[in-house]
Amino acid sequence: MAHWEWARLWSVADAQLGDDDPLRRAGHLNHLGALQRAAGEYDQARESYTSAHELWRDQLGDDHPIIAAALHNLGNVERLARHHDEARELLTRAIAM
């Protein structure tokens, strides 16, 4: 199955989750971002990773280790999209944690 088909199915499943469990939703959004990134859909991946990062930050705080992973994912998307300044800033923040 092509990456975009997995991403479409994941989007449907995510829409059915609702907001009952923000941490679970963040995890699903993070996985969706990975599928989108692998398919070269960097704008969509950025949106999914950003939403996951915001949910994790709201639930766990700025200093939780998963925040570093979220910043790393965002940085990699920016790197792949050739937004090098943004990538450097995000990856530097992730490493500093």
Side-chain angles (χ1 to χ4, degrees):
M1 186 176 284
H3 287 292
W4 66 269
E5 291 176 77
W6 280 111
R8 183 182 61 78
L9 292 173
W10 203 279
S11 293
V12 170
D14 184 63
Q16 293 176 0
L17 281 175
D19 294 326
D20 292 342
D21 185 348
L23 294 176
R24 186 171 153 196
R25 181 167 174 75
H28 285 146
L29 286 165
N30 188 65
H31 290 301
L32 177 59
L35 291 170
Q36 292 163 327
R37 184 192 69 219
E41 298 171 355
Y42 303 132
D43 290 337
Q44 294 89 340
R46 183 183 303 108
E47 289 178 26
S48 295
Y49 281 143
T50 298
S51 295
H53 172 256
E54 290 170 355
L55 285 167
W56 277 324
R57 189 187 63 225
D58 291 346
Q59 295 296 308
L60 303 171
D62 289 325
D63 296 328
H64 194 279
I66 204 161
I67 301 302
L71 293 171
H72 177 263
N73 290 340
L74 282 165
N76 276 330
V77 166
E78 296 299 351
R79 180 184 57 82
L80 291 167
R82 299 182 186 263
H83 301 151
H84 299 293
D85 291 337
E86 293 88 346
R88 184 177 301 109
E89 189 266 328
L90 290 161
L91 293 170
T92 299
R93 284 175 53 200
I95 291 168
M97 295 186 76

